[in-house]
Amino acid sequence: MNKNSLLTMKDLTNQEILDLLNDAKAFHNSHSDWQIPEPFRALTANLFFEPSTRTHYSFLSAENQLGLRSVDFQAESSSLTKGESLYDTVKTFEAIGYGLLIIRHPEDEYFKELESINIPIINAGDGTGNHPSQCLLDLMTIYDEFGHLDGLHILICGDVAHSRVAASNKEALERFGAKVRFSGPPQWQREGYPFTDFDENIEWADVVMLLRIQRERGAELGEMSDAEYLEKYGLTKERYARLKDHAIVLHPAPVNRGVEIDSDLVEADKSRIFQQMSNGVLVRKAMIKYALGFPPFGRSNV
Ligand code: CP
């Protein structure tokens, strides 16, 4: 595997995470026009084997802003339909001149079968495993708000069992000294994730991160209606009113309005859901810069 591949948060030291956040901030401030120098502009392919709006199109935006030429892989018109494997598909992109791959795939840790690939790969989400670019944009959004992660109380609510967002955030936030608790339906608990009651912790939280119900991974509400789910496990107006003054609300999106969160709260004062998306372009620019081997801009801005 290329040493600059970004597959999980575990691949990054704390300093590297801070450097990426700092670079993302610099892309917003001092380095908004910075581009990959011409001789290093790798031909980039986006291989999305699962649907995506935010991750896919913000990587495209980031590639475009950095001056890269990129293509979107179309699985349905590719030789996957003739039985070609993921490994052979990726190896082909390497063989025909691509220098950077962005991959989303439904299989947990799909990248383990790509260890002999030499070009950098950025993981845009693997099954229930990891979502490093989402995690970095979440960290950036929290940092922007509080200026630190250490000691913050983070309450992550919903379909924890199927969420790669929960997994990557737990890993990174705990490393930076945040206290992370989880809540949601009992059938979506996950081993090693400290579960608690939403209502008992709403006033404890500095950050409430809601998770989408991952129906495509088998999550089912059973007899429960969407309205009942919202009432029991979602962010209602009543719960919102009990949040700390300085608390913020995150959701990786797409949002099931009226299920994980009352539709009227999606753009409420404490919601940073669309800010997360804007930050997503900045952290993805920083990840691409890192993957192509460029050093951090500096360490003063985070
Ligand atoms: N948050 C996220 O990964 O959204 P998409 O599935 O739309 O990329």
Side-chain angles (χ1 to χ4, degrees):
M1 190 63 81
N2 185 289
K3 70 177 173 41
N4 289 328
S5 286
L6 279 167
L7 305 172
T8 78
M9 293 307 288
K10 290 189 184 78
D11 292 337
L12 295 165
T13 64
N14 285 10
Q15 187 58 58
E16 285 170 330
I17 292 172
L18 292 174
D19 286 341
L20 284 165
L21 298 179
N22 190 64
D23 277 6
K25 201 77 190 153
F27 277 125
H28 185 253
N29 299 326
S30 51
H31 289 68
S32 57
D33 295 332
W34 190 90
Q35 292 196 315
I36 304 290
E38 188 70 57
F40 303 102
R41 290 187 183 178
L43 189 55
T44 301
N46 303 299
L47 286 71
F48 279 72
F49 297 88
E50 274 189 345
S52 166
T53 298
R54 272 143 296 276
T55 313
H56 189 166
Y57 292 96
S58 59
F59 265 116
L60 266 176
S61 176
E63 291 153 13
N64 196 280
Q65 290 180 41
L66 291 171
L68 299 179
R69 286 162 296 145
S70 61
V71 297
D72 277 345
F73 174 67
Q74 308 291 344
E76 61 285 359
S77 59
S78 76
S79 288
L80 278 178
T81 58
K82 303 174 205 164
E84 191 165 39
S85 68
L86 173 66
Y87 174 81
D88 286 340
T89 302
V90 171
K91 189 72 187 165
T92 298
F93 273 93
E94 181 179 62
I96 62 178
Y98 286 80
L100 174 64
L101 303 179
I102 316 295
I103 304 179
R104 169 174 286 193
H105 197 278
E107 193 180 314
D108 286 12
E109 300 188 324
Y110 67 82
F111 42 79
K112 285 201 164 156
E113 65 178 283
L114 304 178
E115 273 170 12
S116 65
I117 300 295
N118 294 309
I119 56 175
I121 295 171
I122 298 179
N123 179 17
D126 61 286
T128 63
N130 304 272
H131 199 342
S133 66
Q134 178 70 43
C135 178
L136 286 167
L137 74 87
D138 291 338
L139 297 185
M140 180 176 182
T141 307
I142 299 169
Y143 246 118
D144 278 355
E145 198 71 32
F146 298 100
H148 66 100
L149 297 170
D150 186 40
L152 287 178
H153 293 177
I154 317 284
L155 185 58
I156 301 182
C157 313
D159 181 5
V160 178
H162 301 99
S163 175
R164 56 195 174 208
V165 177
S168 285
N169 271 301
K170 179 180 189 298
E171 146 73 18
L173 285 163
E174 287 180 346
R175 270 167 60 188
F176 279 97
K179 296 185 172 34
V180 188
R181 294 179 183 171
F182 298 85
S183 74
Q187 68 271 26
W188 295 340
Q189 293 194 20
R190 197 161 169 164
E191 203 180 331
Y193 290 61
F195 251 70
T196 186
D197 184 82
F198 198 170
D199 285 311
E200 286 173 14
N201 284 275
I202 193 85
E203 284 138 352
W204 170 86
D206 301 304
V207 177
V208 172
M209 182 184 295
L210 304 161
L211 300 174
R212 182 176 64 84
I213 299 171
Q214 310 255 313
R215 291 187 163 100
E216 74 276 27
R217 292 184 221 291
E220 287 176 10
L221 292 184
E223 300 292 299
M224 207 183 333
S225 69
D226 287 355
E228 284 167 338
Y229 180 89
L230 176 66
E231 201 53 40
K232 278 182 99 163
Y233 302 112
L235 189 65
T236 58
K237 291 192 176 87
E238 290 71 26
R239 291 193 179 104
Y240 182 89
R242 290 172 50 211
L243 286 166
K244 287 178 183 167
D245 286 347
H246 68 241
I248 60 170
V249 175
L250 306 182
H251 189 310
V255 174
N256 291 308
R257 285 175 178 258
V259 187
E260 297 115 20
I261 179 169
D262 185 301
S263 185
D264 292 343
L265 299 177
V266 173
E267 294 181 67
D269 286 348
K270 294 183 195 302
S271 168
R272 299 290 179 272
I273 295 173
F274 287 95
Q275 187 59 45
Q276 287 173 271
M277 297 178 204
S278 302
N279 289 343
V281 178
L282 300 169
V283 299
R284 287 169 180 129
K285 286 174 77 171
M287 292 172 85
I288 291 170
K289 173 173 164 282
Y290 172 100
L292 293 180
F294 289 88
F297 289 131
R299 289 178 177 166
S300 59
N301 295 339
V302 169

